[in-house]
């Protein structure tokens, strides 16, 4: 809207008088200016006065920036001295100070557009325009407003400092060009610096204008790709103490160590002053080119807060002869068209020129002494005369030469080969600014430094930046040192080059700071965002068992394959540990040792029984079944070995078959022995011939039948659904348990159930026969052994179900060994004890006395009938003994003979 207001002002200022008269201005603007006449006038807009305090239009003159004004004048003078360049044409200039104030800037732009004073032209107001091109404005938001006005007339503006990427839009700003790269490249350079040092938690400060907000928009987009902005603050373009205090408080409280600043020098100065006043330190500033070389801020008193600042800066150049020219400046006279020099002189020497009408008093001098004009500028050391670090001034220099080359190309045009209608050329005496713009867009030359000067299709300069760092010199002054380069034009992949050894870090460690909200999550963990906080603020959650993460800051953990498991650190998947009851581990060694000991003990008992097979104790206990029982017990012990070791198809099928058949054979022998005892001592009725139906053949057949039934169960199981090796991950996710899959639970249940059924029958029968005479009765021992056997296998079931991994097999082996030892020790240890340690009890006399007293043996008629009958029935060798007759009919001699006959049976 402001640009249209200015156009209205311009149209109202100029009017046409009668032919032959002059175009005349209605009024003059009061502006700080420098002017020199010439055939062609170049305009210039500069920032010299900064507003530093709250009252409206309270300014201070910045002498260092006056160097840029003088550089433009130097370039014009240099061109005028070159007779081969723009021959017969003298360039003049009209330069204004915009005072960092948009209304003032628009007044200056309008003044350049319309011209000032009387201009002698013909009645149609024809002739050269007031200015053919403008160098400036340095501020983006000023350039945006002014360029909209200039573009209506095609007047080119070549800015040396306005970087807003919005100005690259040629539809909006067709006549705008610049010798400084766009912010799009500036932000890219700053992002490269930030990424180079791994900063992901960043604060952002930008001026509340087009320059700052456009740069901030690009910054937000770029940072979101790898990090987060801890805060975003907008610096007001007009002084606002509350807002400044709020920004400073945000900076103070933020955990971000790195702060990026997009702001002009004037606006940042106010904020920086408050930061220094509150002694905010420990922050790494990343400066945009607008203030990265701002010497007024890079001072010793500000170093604690801003020392070590890293920034992108305009490419530094060298201008031969400029220093000498700068030192020649002098306020020759106090006139209206050089008041800018007067102001500079007063600021540099802190004095005051007095006009002839001024009265000499303290109020007019404002505490300063009177300027004489004789002060020697060579005696003053200031940024104005320092040409060792020419950056914006070098851009001004290139802008002037770019316009001069455009004018030179314009006058070098040959009719018939021109770029305009009908291939015509522009007339240097009557040309339009848009014709200069045409040539300016196509400028392409190499200056005396060997640097190529050209504009791309958006009117932007080539994107090359210096990387600078604020350091202290040996004398204690702050210097802005070049430490690297960012070259967007290079074809190499690495566009940022930094000399790490040259950087000063304003931290105790003298190392780059770490600016993160949360530390990186190491491999083995994953990032878990905190609710309501930026994505850079997160917790590191360890991966779950079976999951891994192998990268830093992994957002998720990945599940391992089925046969793999995560290692202890959850950083990689490793093959799962194979677990089985091995011969090598302590449990396996123990069970193997006990198994071999049990088998050895059974063999030893069998050897003892074979060695003493003719003795009464062995004969009285059905020696054939005892031998078979000991052999089956040996097999029961040895079958445990098939449960130890890595499962295979063979061992899985054999372990339960051998176990089932061995135990059924063992229980069958015990059951038959129990039946024989009961039948022998319970057959008390006269004429009872029961034992002849349960002789040796029947006993063997019974054992074979019971064993055969178990064999059928095992064969059916193996044929239908045989056990096989399997990998079990049910109990331990981190281990693979190698076990034997039963194949058929029914088959396994039938096998155990059949053994349990025979055991229960045997236990019951033995229990009923437990009180029969001791010498010939094993019922008590069998009862006790079956009690142990049943107790072991009853407790085995819950223990087997609840035991995980190799302990399942260990429980089964333990049950086998415990039950086998129970039978072996309960039934055979008492007999072995008598045979080995009490041989006197293993005699005919002792055996006969074991069931009766000595007096009873002297009177056989007094012996219990069941005793005698039992003796006879248990002695199959007594063929002629009258079993059918009543006991009372047996004579004492017959009973004695019968009792003795059992001991003499072969």
């Amino acid at each position: 809207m402001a640009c249209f207001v200015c156009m209205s002002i311009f149209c109202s200022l100029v009017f046409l008088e009668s032919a032959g008269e002059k175009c005349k201005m209605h009024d003059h603007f009061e502006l700080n200016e420098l002017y020199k006449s010439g055939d062609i006038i170049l305009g210039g807009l500069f920032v010299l006065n900064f507003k530093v305090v709250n009252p409206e239009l309270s300014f201070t003159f910045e002498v260092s920036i006056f160097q840029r004004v003088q550089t433009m004048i130097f370039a014009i003078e240099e061109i005028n001295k070159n007779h081969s360049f723009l021959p017969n044409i003298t360039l003049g200039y009209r330069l204004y100070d915009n005072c960092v104030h948009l209304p003032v800037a628009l007044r200056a732009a309008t003044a350049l557009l319309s011209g000032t004073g009387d201009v002698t032209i013909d009645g149609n107001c024809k002739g050269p325009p007031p200015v053919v091109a403008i160098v400036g404005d340095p501020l983006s938001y000023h350039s945006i407003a002014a360029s909209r006005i200039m573009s209506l007339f095609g007047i080119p503006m070549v800015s040396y400092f306005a970087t807003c990427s919005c100005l690259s839009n040629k539809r909006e700003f067709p006549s705008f060009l610049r010798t400084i790269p766009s912010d799009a490249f500036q932000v890219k350079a700053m992002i490269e610096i930030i990424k180079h040092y791994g900063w992901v938690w960043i604060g952002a400060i930008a001026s509340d204008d087009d320059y700052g907000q456009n740069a901030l928009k690009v910054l937000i987009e770029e940072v979101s790709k790898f990090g987060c902005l801890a805060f975003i603050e907008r610096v007001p373009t007009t002084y606002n103490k509350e807002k400044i205090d709020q920004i400073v408080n945000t900076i103070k409280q933020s955990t971000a160590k790195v702060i990026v600043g997009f702001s002009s020098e004037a606006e940042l100065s106010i904020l920086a002053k408050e930061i220094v006043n509150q002694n905010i330190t420990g922050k790494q500033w990343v400066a945009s080119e607008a203030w990265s070389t701002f010497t007024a801020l890079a001072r010793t008193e500000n170093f604690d807060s801003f020392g070590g600042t890293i920034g992108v800066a305009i490419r530094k150049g060298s201008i031969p002869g400029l220093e000498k020219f700068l030192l020649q400046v002098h306020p020759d006279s106090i006139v209206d068209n050089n008041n800018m020099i007067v102001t500079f002189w007063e600021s540099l020497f802190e004095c005051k020129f007095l006009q002839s009408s001024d009265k000499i008093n303290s109020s007019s001098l404002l505490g300063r002494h009177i300027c004489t004009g004789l002060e020697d500028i060579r005696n003053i050391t200031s940024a104005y005369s320092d040409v060792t670090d020419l950056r914006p001034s070098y851009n001004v220099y290139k802008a002037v030469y770019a316009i001069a080359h455009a004018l030179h190309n314009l006058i070098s045009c040959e009719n018939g080969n021109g770029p305009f209608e009908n291939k015509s050329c522009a007339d240097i005496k009557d040309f339009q600014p848009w014709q200069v713009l045409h040539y300016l867009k196509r400028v392409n030359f190499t200056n005396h430094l060997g640097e190529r000067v050209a504009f791309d299709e958006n009117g932007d300069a080539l994107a090359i930046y210096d990387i600078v760092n604020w350091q202290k010199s040996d004398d204690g002054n702050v210097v802005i040192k070049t430490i690297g380069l960012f070259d967007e034009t290079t074809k190499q992949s690495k566009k940022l080059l930094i000399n790490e050894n040259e950087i000063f870090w304003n931290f105790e460690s003298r190392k780059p700071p770490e600016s993160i909200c949360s530390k990186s999550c190491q491999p083995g963990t994953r990032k878990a965002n905190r609710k309501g906080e930026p994505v850079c603020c997160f917790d590191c959650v360890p991966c779950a068992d079976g999951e891994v993460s192998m990268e830093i800051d992994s957002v998720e953990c990945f599940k391992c394959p089925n046969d793999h498991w995560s290692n202890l650190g959850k950083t990689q998947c490793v093959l799962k540990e194979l677990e089985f009851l091995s011969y090598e581990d302590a449990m396996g060694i123990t069970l193997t040792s006990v198994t071999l000991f049990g088998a050895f003990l059974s063999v030893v008992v069998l050897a003892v029984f074979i060695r003493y097979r003719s003795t009464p104790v062995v004969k009285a206990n059905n020696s054939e079944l005892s031998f078979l029982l000991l052999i089956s017990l040996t097999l029961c012990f040895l079958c445990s070995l098939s449960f130890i070791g890595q499962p295979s198809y063979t061992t899985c099928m054999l372990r339960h078959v051998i176990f089932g058949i061995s135990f059924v054979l063992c229980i069958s022998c015990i059951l038959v022995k129990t039946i024989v005892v009961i039948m022998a001592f319970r057959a008390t009725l006269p004429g009872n011939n029961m034992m002849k139906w349960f002789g040796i053949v029947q006993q063997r057949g019974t054992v074979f039948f019971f064993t055969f039934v178990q064999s059928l169960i095992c064969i059916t199981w193996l044929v239908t659904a045989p056990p096989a090796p399997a990998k079990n991950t049910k109990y331990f996710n981190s281990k693979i348990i190698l076990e034997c899959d039963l194949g058929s639970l029914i088959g396994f249940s039938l096998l155990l159930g059949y053994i349990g059924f025979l055991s229960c029958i045997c236990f019951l029968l033995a229990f009923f026969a437990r009180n029969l005479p001791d010498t010939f009765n094993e019922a008590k021992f069998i009862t006790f052994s079956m009690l142990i056997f049943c107790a072991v296998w009853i407790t085995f079931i819950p223990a087997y179900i609840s035991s995980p991994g190799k302990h399942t097999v260990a429980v089964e082996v333990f049950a086998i060994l415990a039950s086998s030892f129970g039978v072996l020790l309960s039934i055979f240890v008492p007999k072995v004890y008598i045979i080995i340690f009490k041989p006197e009890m293993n005699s005919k006399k002792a055996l006969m006395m074991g069931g009766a007293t000595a007096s009873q043996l002297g009177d056989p008629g007094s012996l219990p009938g069941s005793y005698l009958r039992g003796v006879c029935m248990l002695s199959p060798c007594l063929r002629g003994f009258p079993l059918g007759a009543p006991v009372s009919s047996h004579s004492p001699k017959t009973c004695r003979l019968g009792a003795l006959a059992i001991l003499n049976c072969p």
Side-chain angles (χ1 to χ4, degrees):
M1 187 66 185
C3 61
F4 292 108
V5 172
C6 291
M7 280 307 302
S8 300
I9 294 172
F10 166 69
C11 293
S12 65
L13 291 176
V14 182
F15 68 95
L16 294 178
E17 296 187 354
S18 59
E21 296 185 359
K22 300 177 181 178
C23 289
K24 202 172 185 180
M25 298 297 299
H26 270 219
D27 200 359
H28 291 277
F29 295 136
E30 294 297 330
L31 298 168
N32 291 328
E33 66 173 323
L34 277 176
Y35 171 75
K36 185 177 181 180
S37 62
D39 299 324
I40 297 175
I41 305 297
L42 303 185
L45 294 172
F46 295 88
V47 176
L48 293 173
N49 284 279
F50 290 96
K51 183 170 60 177
V52 294
V53 290
N54 189 26
E56 185 72 16
L57 298 179
S58 179
F59 297 93
T60 184
F61 190 89
E62 181 55 56
V63 295
S64 63
I65 301 182
F66 189 64
Q67 182 192 83
R68 304 173 191 177
V69 176
Q70 289 294 87
T71 301
M72 180 172 177
I73 297 173
F74 171 77
I76 291 174
E77 296 291 346
E78 190 176 61
I79 292 169
N80 287 337
K81 292 177 183 179
N82 188 347
H83 300 295
S84 62
F85 193 59
L86 290 177
N88 302 320
I89 294 177
T90 301
L91 296 179
Y93 52 83
R94 186 175 294 279
L95 313 179
Y96 289 115
D97 175 15
N98 66 24
C99 299
V100 201
H101 200 50
L102 182 58
V104 177
L106 289 177
R107 290 174 190 172
T110 305
L112 291 174
L113 179 64
S114 62
T116 58
D118 295 333
V119 182
T120 303
I121 50 179
D122 62 21
N124 294 321
C125 284
K126 292 185 178 181
V131 293
V132 297
I134 299 174
V135 176
D137 188 292
L139 303 181
S140 292
Y141 66 101
H142 288 183
S143 294
I144 291 170
S147 182
R148 286 197 171 107
I149 299 174
M150 299 305 169
S151 63
L152 295 175
F153 298 92
I155 298 178
M157 289 185 65
V158 185
S159 178
Y160 57 89
F161 213 60
T163 59
C164 181
S165 56
C166 59
L167 289 166
S168 297
N169 185 344
K170 292 301 102 180
R171 296 187 63 181
E172 274 195 83
F173 311 101
S175 65
F176 181 84
L177 301 96
R178 48 189 162 191
T179 53
I180 187 171
S182 162
D183 276 340
F185 300 109
Q186 178 185 195
V187 174
K188 187 178 293 186
M190 297 172 77
I191 289 295
E192 287 298 316
I193 295 172
I194 292 169
K195 291 169 67 175
H196 177 75
Y197 291 108
W199 297 326
V200 296
W201 187 234
I202 304 156
I205 294 175
S207 55
D208 194 11
D209 54 27
D210 290 322
Y211 161 70
Q213 297 312 301
N214 278 279
L216 184 60
K217 180 181 178 182
V218 179
L219 180 73
I220 293 172
E221 293 176 357
E222 293 297 326
V223 170
S224 64
K225 297 176 183 177
F226 65 90
C228 305
L229 291 177
F231 63 86
I232 299 172
E233 291 293 344
R234 293 168 172 81
V235 182
T237 56
T238 57
Y239 183 80
N240 185 328
K241 188 177 188 308
E242 291 184 2
K243 181 62 177 176
I244 294 297
D245 290 342
Q246 182 256 314
I247 295 173
V248 172
N249 188 55
T250 299
I251 294 172
K252 186 187 297 183
Q253 294 182 355
S254 176
T255 58
K257 295 290 185 181
V258 177
I259 303 174
V260 178
F262 292 97
S263 178
S264 67
E265 299 160 334
E267 291 150 1
L268 191 69
S269 295
I270 303 171
L271 177 63
K273 183 178 180 181
E274 190 61 31
I275 290 173
V276 173
N277 288 341
Q278 296 197 27
N279 194 29
I280 298 177
T281 59
K283 303 294 183 181
Q284 177 62 51
W285 289 87
V286 180
S288 66
E289 62 190 356
W291 64 279
S292 62
T293 56
F294 188 27
T295 55
L297 181 59
R299 293 179 176 175
T300 305
E301 58 267 26
N302 300 333
F303 196 78
D304 288 343
S305 296
F306 290 91
T309 293
I310 293 179
V312 294
I314 304 165
R315 191 85 166 108
K316 182 169 68 173
S318 175
I319 306 176
L322 177 61
E323 182 179 11
K324 182 179 179 181
F325 180 82
L326 293 175
L327 295 175
Q328 291 175 353
V329 65
H330 192 274
D332 294 325
S333 60
I334 304 175
V335 294
D336 290 339
N337 62 2
N338 73 346
N339 58 0
M340 196 181 291
I341 295 179
V342 172
T343 307
F344 161 73
W345 199 269
E346 291 177 338
S347 298
L348 181 64
F349 292 102
E350 297 182 352
C351 62
K352 176 70 175 177
F353 281 107
L354 293 179
Q355 302 292 338
S356 58
S357 60
D358 291 339
K359 292 182 180 180
I360 302 177
N361 54 47
S362 58
S363 61
S364 63
L365 292 177
L366 298 176
R368 301 181 180 185
H369 63 273
I370 299 174
C371 295
T372 64
L374 299 178
E375 293 84 1
D376 191 352
I377 195 172
R378 293 175 178 82
N379 295 331
I380 296 293
T381 300
S382 67
Y384 164 75
S385 58
D386 183 8
V387 295
T388 60
D389 194 37
L390 297 177
R391 297 181 188 279
S393 297
Y394 182 56
N395 275 358
V396 172
Y397 186 77
K398 288 192 294 183
V400 174
Y401 265 90
I403 296 171
H405 273 273
L407 290 171
H408 186 79
N409 293 337
L410 183 147
I411 64 174
S412 301
C413 176
E414 296 179 359
N415 284 323
N417 293 321
F420 307 118
E421 187 178 0
N422 299 322
K423 296 184 178 181
S424 63
C425 295
D427 184 0
I428 193 62
K429 295 180 181 180
D430 185 17
F431 64 91
Q432 298 299 318
W434 60 267
Q435 293 173 313
V436 179
L437 177 63
H438 171 83
Y439 286 100
L440 188 58
K441 289 179 178 179
R442 291 159 179 78
V443 162
N444 191 340
F445 65 95
T446 301
N447 63 16
H448 65 278
L449 297 177
E451 182 179 350
R452 178 170 166 250
V453 179
F455 303 101
D456 63 16
E457 65 276 7
N458 297 319
D460 295 328
L462 303 178
I464 304 176
Y465 294 98
D466 286 337
I467 308 301
V468 297
N469 182 225
W470 293 12
Q471 306 180 6
K472 267 190 178 181
S473 61
D474 295 336
D475 59 5
N477 293 322
V478 179
V479 295
I480 300 174
K481 186 174 182 179
T482 301
I483 56 159
L485 177 72
F486 177 82
D487 188 357
E488 178 66 23
T489 63
T490 183
K491 294 181 180 179
Q492 299 179 2
S493 59
K494 191 173 183 180
K495 302 181 184 297
L496 178 68
L497 298 174
I498 295 181
N499 188 347
E500 301 290 346
N501 297 327
E502 297 290 331
I503 303 179
F504 169 77
W505 300 103
N506 197 22
F507 299 90
E508 291 184 5
S509 64
R510 294 296 184 259
K511 293 181 180 179
E514 187 180 54
S515 187
I516 55 175
C517 182
S518 300
K519 288 190 175 182
S520 295
C521 292
Q522 298 301 310
T525 62
R526 64 175 178 84
K527 292 166 63 174
N529 292 334
R530 297 173 185 168
K531 188 175 181 181
E533 296 187 35
V535 295
C536 292
C537 301
F538 50 82
D539 296 314
C540 296
V541 180
C543 293
D545 291 337
E547 295 182 348
V548 298
S549 66
M550 294 174 282
E551 298 178 352
I552 293 178
D553 285 337
S554 179
V555 295
E556 61 180 332
C557 297
F558 301 95
K559 193 173 183 179
C560 291
N562 291 334
D563 57 344
H564 286 70
W565 195 249
S566 55
N567 62 356
L568 187 62
K570 311 293 177 62
T571 57
Q572 61 180 344
C573 293
V574 295
L575 285 171
K576 288 183 178 180
E577 178 186 350
L578 296 178
E579 182 180 86
F580 55 89
L581 187 59
S582 170
Y583 287 107
E584 283 78 22
D585 61 30
M587 188 182 298
I589 293 172
T590 302
L591 293 176
T592 301
S593 301
V594 174
T595 295
L596 294 176
F597 175 73
F600 172 76
L601 197 61
S602 299
V603 173
V604 169
V605 173
L606 178 61
V608 170
F609 265 56
I610 293 175
R611 171 69 179 79
Y612 296 96
R613 62 185 179 277
S614 301
T615 61
V617 169
V618 176
K619 285 183 178 182
N621 288 280
N622 202 331
S623 58
E624 183 174 330
L625 287 178
S626 295
F627 294 156
L628 188 58
L629 177 58
L630 286 170
I631 293 172
S632 66
L633 281 174
T634 304
L635 293 176
C636 288
F637 280 114
L638 293 177
C639 79
S640 299
L641 297 177
S642 63
F643 289 84
I644 304 173
Q646 184 171 345
S648 64
Y649 284 99
T650 302
T651 56
C652 284
M653 288 189 293
L654 289 181
R655 64 172 54 171
H656 290 103
V657 171
I658 297 174
F659 158 72
I661 294 176
S662 299
F663 267 80
V664 165
L665 179 61
C666 174
I667 300 301
S668 299
C669 292
I670 297 173
L671 180 59
V672 170
K673 287 169 68 70
T674 306
I675 293 174
V676 169
V677 170
I678 291 175
M679 293 183 67
F681 285 96
R682 293 298 182 186
T684 58
L685 296 175
N688 191 334
N689 294 322
M690 185 181 300
M691 281 302 298
K692 73 177 182 179
W693 301 107
F694 202 72
I696 296 298
V697 175
Q698 288 79 8
Q699 293 173 22
R700 294 172 181 171
T702 302
V703 171
F704 173 78
F705 174 75
F706 287 149
T707 307
F708 178 71
V709 172
Q710 182 73 308
S711 300
L712 286 179
I713 294 174
C714 292
I715 292 172
T716 304
W717 181 13
L718 294 178
V719 171
T720 56
K727 295 180 178 180
N728 187 349
T729 58
K730 178 179 178 182
Y731 296 106
F732 300 103
N733 290 325
S734 59
K735 297 178 181 179
I736 297 177
I737 301 172
L738 292 179
E739 61 181 13
C740 289
D741 182 28
L742 295 175
S744 172
L745 184 61
I746 296 176
F748 183 64
S749 301
L750 288 175
L751 182 143
L752 288 181
Y754 184 63
I755 295 174
F757 172 73
L758 294 180
S759 301
C760 291
I761 293 176
C762 185
F763 172 74
L764 292 174
L765 293 178
F767 180 79
F768 292 139
R770 69 188 184 283
N771 292 322
L772 294 177
D774 289 342
T775 303
F776 306 104
N777 184 17
E778 294 180 284
K780 286 185 178 180
F781 300 124
I782 292 174
T783 302
F784 187 67
S785 66
M786 286 299 99
L787 185 63
I788 295 174
F789 187 92
C790 292
V792 168
W793 285 101
I794 288 173
T795 56
F796 159 77
I797 295 174
Y800 181 84
I801 294 173
S802 61
S803 298
K806 63 183 180 181
H807 298 92
T808 303
V809 180
V811 166
E812 192 167 358
V813 173
F814 177 80
I816 293 172
L817 295 176
S819 56
S820 299
F821 272 110
V823 173
L824 178 65
L825 299 178
S826 299
I827 295 178
F828 292 100
V829 166
K831 298 175 178 58
V832 172
Y833 176 78
I834 293 174
I835 294 172
I836 302 299
F837 298 103
K838 298 289 184 179
E840 66 277 8
M841 296 181 64
N842 191 13
S843 62
K844 298 178 182 180
K845 181 179 180 179
L847 187 66
M848 293 179 66
M849 291 178 65
T853 63
S855 60
Q856 288 175 327
L857 288 175
D859 184 11
S862 64
L863 291 173
S866 60
Y867 173 78
L868 293 177
R869 190 173 294 107
V871 169
C872 296
M873 289 184 177
L874 289 173
S875 303
C877 59
L878 301 178
R879 304 295 184 188
F881 194 81
L883 296 174
V887 174
S888 58
S889 64
H890 296 165
S891 65
K893 180 180 179 181
T894 303
C895 291
R896 187 179 297 110
L897 290 174
L900 294 175
I902 188 172
L903 300 177
N904 293 317
C905 290

